[in-house]
Amino acid sequence: MRNIIFLAPPAAGKGTISNIFSEKYGYIHISTGNLLRNINNSNLESKVSSLLKTGNLLPNEIVYEVLDDYIKGIKDKPFILDGFPRSIEQVKHLDKLVKELNLSEFVVIYLDIDYETAMNRALGRMVCPKCGRNYNKFIITSKPKVNYKCDVCNVDLITRSDDTEEVFKIRYNEYLKETFKVIQCYQDRGLLHTINAAEDLQDMVDKIIKIVEV
Ligand SMILES: [Zn+2]
C-alpha cells in the first residue's frame, strides 16, 4: 500500500474515508491539525498552544519539526497525510523528507466536490452527543432511522455550531485559494488522482484502493 496525500475541500468526506482506511487497511491517519493540538514535546507544547489559542498560523519550522518526528516514528506502516502540504514551500519540504527517509513516492488523491454539494453536506451534518456517531440529513446512507435521533442511543442529535453557510463559504474559498498551487504542482508531476467526491462513499473507497494498491 502506498502512502497517500489527501487534498480536499471541507465536507468532501476526507475524514470518513481516512477512518475507513485506518480501520480496514491499517493506515496511520496523520492529520496535521490534530497532531499539533496533541503535541507531547514540552519544549514545543507551550509555544504551539499559545499560537493556536490566538488563532495564529504556526510557522512552518514548528509544523515540520512535529511532522518529521512523527513520520520518522512510523516505520513501515502506510500513512495518510491530511492537511499537509498546503503550500509549495511545504511540498518542497516533503520532497526532502521523502529523500531523507527513502520513502516511496506519494499517491496524491484530490477529492473533487462542487460548492453546492459540499455545502449541503456540511449543513446536513449532525452528531450524537452521547456516542459521537455522525449523521447527515442530506445523505441517504447517513440519515438516522428516526429523524434527528441517534440510531443507537435514541437521544436527540445536535449540529455543530460552526456549520453555517457563512462559515462554510469562508472555509471553502480559503481552501481553494490556499491549495490551488499544490494541486497544480502534483498534477504537473503526474501524481494527482482526482476522485469525484459527489459519488457514493463506498465507490470512492474502492477507487482509491485500486490506485494505492499498485
Ligand atoms: Zn449515539
Side-chain angles (χ1 to χ4, degrees):
M1 294 288 207
R2 294 173 61 187
N3 296 326
I4 301 172
I5 294 171
F6 258 140
L7 300 173
K14 188 177 58 174
T16 318
I17 294 177
S18 298
N19 286 346
I20 294 173
F21 272 72
S22 58
E23 280 168 23
K24 272 199 175 163
Y25 305 101
Y27 270 84
I28 306 223
H29 177 202
I30 309 176
S31 146
T32 30
N34 287 344
L35 205 59
L36 292 162
R37 276 187 291 272
N38 300 310
I39 283 172
N40 47 23
N41 170 331
S42 51
N43 287 330
L44 281 175
E45 202 178 345
S46 55
K47 203 171 171 188
V48 169
S49 67
S50 64
L51 280 169
L52 287 176
K53 258 181 218 145
T54 52
N56 280 313
L57 280 179
L58 293 173
N60 274 333
E61 294 68 42
I62 292 186
V63 179
Y64 296 162
E65 193 176 338
V66 175
L67 186 70
D68 292 6
D69 265 7
Y70 193 84
I71 292 179
K72 281 171 190 164
I74 289 182
K75 301 206 166 70
D76 3 290
K77 281 199 174 169
F79 62 88
I80 294 170
L81 274 185
D82 168 3
F84 190 95
R86 284 211 162 143
S87 63
I88 295 299
E89 202 199 317
Q90 293 186 346
V91 169
K92 286 179 182 155
H93 176 79
L94 196 59
D95 291 342
K96 265 199 299 188
L97 193 69
V98 165
K99 264 198 189 138
E100 191 190 323
L101 301 180
N102 206 13
L103 301 171
S104 57
E105 193 103 68
F106 282 94
V107 167
V108 185
I109 305 281
Y110 175 53
L111 302 182
D112 189 22
I113 190 165
D114 66 276
Y115 177 74
E116 285 290 310
T117 313
M119 190 186 63
N120 276 339
R121 275 197 194 166
L123 298 190
R125 271 201 287 236
M126 298 181 294
V127 61
C128 170
K130 202 173 164 199
C131 71
R133 271 188 181 72
N134 289 296
Y135 296 90
N136 197 306
K137 61 181 163 195
F138 296 125
I139 303 173
I140 292 165
T141 47
S142 310
K143 269 187 182 170
K145 290 195 181 88
V146 179
N147 275 350
Y148 303 105
K149 296 267 190 207
C150 176
D151 292 349
V152 181
C153 318
N154 200 32
V155 298
D156 287 339
L157 299 171
I158 52 173
T159 51
R160 295 189 344 184
S161 58
D162 59 339
D163 282 337
T164 65
E165 185 166 351
E166 200 47 45
V167 171
F168 180 79
K169 192 175 180 178
I170 293 168
R171 284 173 58 214
Y172 187 90
N173 288 333
E174 267 177 5
Y175 174 83
L176 287 186
K177 209 172 101 195
E178 197 179 34
T179 42
F180 178 73
K181 283 186 180 147
V182 174
I183 293 167
Q184 199 72 52
C185 168
Y186 283 122
Q187 185 149 41
D188 292 345
R189 293 184 187 183
L191 298 176
L192 193 80
H193 299 266
T194 302
I195 300 283
N196 179 3
E199 277 183 20
D200 177 66
L201 198 70
Q202 191 55 49
D203 291 344
M204 289 161 70
V205 170
D206 292 345
K207 280 188 182 151
I208 299 170
I209 281 294
K210 280 207 185 107
I211 298 166
V212 300
E213 260 177 350
V214 185

